[in-house]
Amino acid sequence: MVDGLIVSIAEPAVPNMQLAQKVYRYEIRAKEGSSSSNMITELKESILADIVEDEMAPFYLTLCKKFEWAEDESFVSPLTERNADTLAKLDSNRTEAKENAGETEVLDAMFAKARYLMRIGNQPLAFVAYDEIAAMEKTSSVKKIDALLEKTRLALFLMDRAAIKECIQAAEAKVESGGDWDRCSTYIV
């Protein structure tokens, strides 16, 4: 673990699926033109609080486009700066691992970056990071399946049905071509 950026098993699941539920409830209430605008306001405030807590600048911008919210530069700017700082540290950790450590540490650094991108809701970059992990020649099938399952979780978080289907098909193919018993069971569940 470098600078506490490697995600451990004891940490909460990423991304925050309760936030996805809030966004879904907000979307439903907004579409039906809920007479309780107070409830919509409370949901939006709760969503924004979760966004700040997890430094989710990319996800905030996605929601602004989706719900036609006005982008608040004073809200998103500090989050974007923290995202850039953390990503720079993660890239530095990967470079350090390449130069001074083994393949396992490099893979851990790659997963740390992918998980951070997933945590902040940056789907395009997170998918690229997970695809990079899956494309590595010396990566075990177990780690490749892990990358595909984490990619699926992000797609579920963002309610991206096309990506969910694609990720599940890729995971199924990888499991059938060879994966350990534990990952096969995880996929089946």
Side-chain angles (χ1 to χ4, degrees):
M1 178 178 354
V2 180
D3 292 334
L5 295 175
I6 303 291
V7 178
S8 72
I9 294 171
E11 292 183 22
V14 173
N16 179 351
M17 297 306 272
Q18 290 180 352
L19 174 57
Q21 290 174 351
K22 290 176 189 177
V23 170
Y24 179 74
R25 285 196 312 266
Y26 178 90
E27 183 174 15
I28 296 300
R29 301 285 191 280
K31 280 184 181 177
E32 63 188 25
S34 180
S35 58
S36 175
S37 63
N38 198 20
M39 181 182 288
I40 291 174
T41 303
E42 287 175 12
L43 275 170
K44 183 177 179 181
E45 288 173 1
S46 180
I47 290 167
L48 294 175
D50 288 348
I51 286 171
V52 169
E53 183 178 328
D54 283 338
E55 304 173 349
M56 302 177 80
F59 187 61
Y60 170 74
L61 296 173
T62 299
L63 293 181
C64 286
K65 289 177 188 163
K66 182 175 185 174
F67 299 125
E68 298 176 356
W69 295 345
E71 290 181 18
D72 182 353
E73 189 61 35
S74 65
F75 179 85
V76 75
S77 183
L79 300 177
T80 304
E81 288 175 21
R82 287 194 296 259
N83 291 165
D85 291 345
T86 302
L87 287 169
K89 287 178 188 175
L90 290 166
D91 287 336
S92 172
N93 291 348
R94 181 178 176 186
T95 301
E96 183 181 323
K98 277 184 178 179
E99 293 170 357
N100 303 321
E103 293 173 13
T104 301
E105 290 79 7
V106 171
L107 186 61
D108 288 344
M110 291 172 72
F111 264 109
K113 181 177 180 178
R115 287 176 180 141
Y116 181 75
L117 290 166
M118 179 171 50
R119 187 184 104 194
I120 64 173
N122 192 331
Q123 182 182 17
L125 292 181
F127 275 19
V128 167
Y130 283 118
D131 290 342
E132 187 179 348
I133 291 168
M136 289 180 62
E137 280 186 35
K138 295 184 179 181
T139 303
S140 71
S141 62
V142 171
K143 292 296 185 181
K144 290 179 182 186
I145 292 169
D146 285 347
L148 288 168
L149 292 174
E150 289 183 23
K151 219 173 130 173
T152 304
R153 185 172 173 84
L154 177 58
L156 285 167
F157 174 78
L158 297 170
M159 294 180 272
D160 183 343
R161 288 177 180 86
I164 293 167
K165 184 176 180 178
E166 180 184 315
C167 291
I168 288 174
Q169 289 172 343
E172 184 175 57
K174 187 57 70 180
V175 166
E176 288 175 4
S177 71
D180 73 348
W181 180 86
D182 182 47
R183 294 319 185 277
C184 291
S185 295
T186 302
Y187 165 74
I188 290 168
V189 171

